[in-house]
Amino acid sequence: MAIRNIILEGDELLNKKCRKVEKFDDRLHQLIDDMIETMYKAKGVGLAAPQVGILKRVVVIDVGDGIIELVNPEIVESSGEQREQEGCLSCPGDYGITLRPMIVKVRAKDRNGNDIEVFGRALKARALCHELDHLDGILFKSRLISGDVNLRKN
Ligand code: ZN
């Protein structure tokens, strides 16, 4: 495993749509392992492959109840609303209140290509939405609630 560099807002790779993963091979496993290590080192609760410069649909999330690895994830159900503070490892020091669903259901593949489903509520739903947005080149700042765009520095 290896720590990878997290790229920052302003890098055009963060604005690109990522490709679906077709091969569930050693290279993918290496990427996922590196992303997990990189996320923990950075003390984040989620990391998407484009944040380490890889334009593939892969995310890892751990909101404190264990690691979730998602390949080619899609939100298939969502309900409710939440307005909470969000930040991003690619936008260090910037925070803002976003509007997200309270509950989401995500369908994805695991690292071996098996179908999986993940439910997220509250923080986990936020993390899932945030990381999946990265795969379409969307940063949380475009989800800020109107009128609340004053980002505070930590
Ligand atoms: Zn992010």
Side-chain angles (χ1 to χ4, degrees), residues 8-94:
L8 300 179
E9 187 183 20
D11 191 313
E12 63 175 21
L13 289 176
L14 289 174
N15 305 319
K16 306 248 187 208
K17 202 169 157 75
C18 297
R19 294 180 301 274
K20 266 185 118 168
V21 171
E22 309 281 355
K23 288 185 194 163
F24 296 81
D25 56 7
D26 286 348
R27 207 162 159 210
L28 174 68
H29 297 175
Q30 183 69 59
L31 171 64
I32 293 171
D33 290 342
D34 288 356
M35 285 173 60
I36 292 169
E37 196 176 356
T38 303
M39 175 183 73
Y40 285 140
K41 176 92 187 309
K43 299 188 181 355
V45 299
L47 188 70
Q51 293 181 277
V52 294
I54 306 292
L55 295 177
K56 289 184 178 173
R57 303 188 79 80
V58 179
V59 309
V60 296
I61 289 170
D62 186 346
V63 296
D65 60 356
I67 191 74
I68 303 171
E69 308 169 359
L70 300 171
V71 180
N72 301 339
E74 283 178 54
I75 293 173
V76 293
E77 282 178 38
S78 65
S79 62
E81 288 182 356
Q82 56 176 322
R83 291 167 179 79
E84 296 290 343
Q85 183 168 273
E86 219 168 290
C88 179
L89 291 176
S90 293
C91 313
D94 292 344

Side-chain angles (χ1 to χ4, degrees), residues 46 51 87-90 130-131 134 139-140:
Q51 293 181 277
C88 179
L89 291 176
S90 293
H130 178 116
E131 300 312 329
H134 273 300
L139 294 179
F140 82 98

Side-chain angles (χ1 to χ4, degrees), residues 3 9 19 43 65 77 85 89 94 98 105 107 119 121 123 133 136 145 151:
I3 303 288
E9 187 183 20
R19 294 180 301 274
K43 299 188 181 355
D65 60 356
E77 282 178 38
Q85 183 168 273
L89 291 176
D94 292 344
T98 59
K105 177 173 155 186
R107 209 165 275 159
F119 290 89
R121 193 176 185 289
L123 173 59
D133 267 353
D136 291 320
I145 292 171
L151 301 174

Side-chain angles (χ1 to χ4, degrees), residues 134-153:
H134 273 300
L135 304 182
D136 291 320
I138 298 167
L139 294 179
F140 82 98
K141 289 180 181 179
S142 63
R143 303 287 193 193
L144 293 175
I145 292 171
S146 175
D148 189 23
V149 291
N150 291 322
L151 301 174
R152 72 166 172 78
K153 291 289 174 189

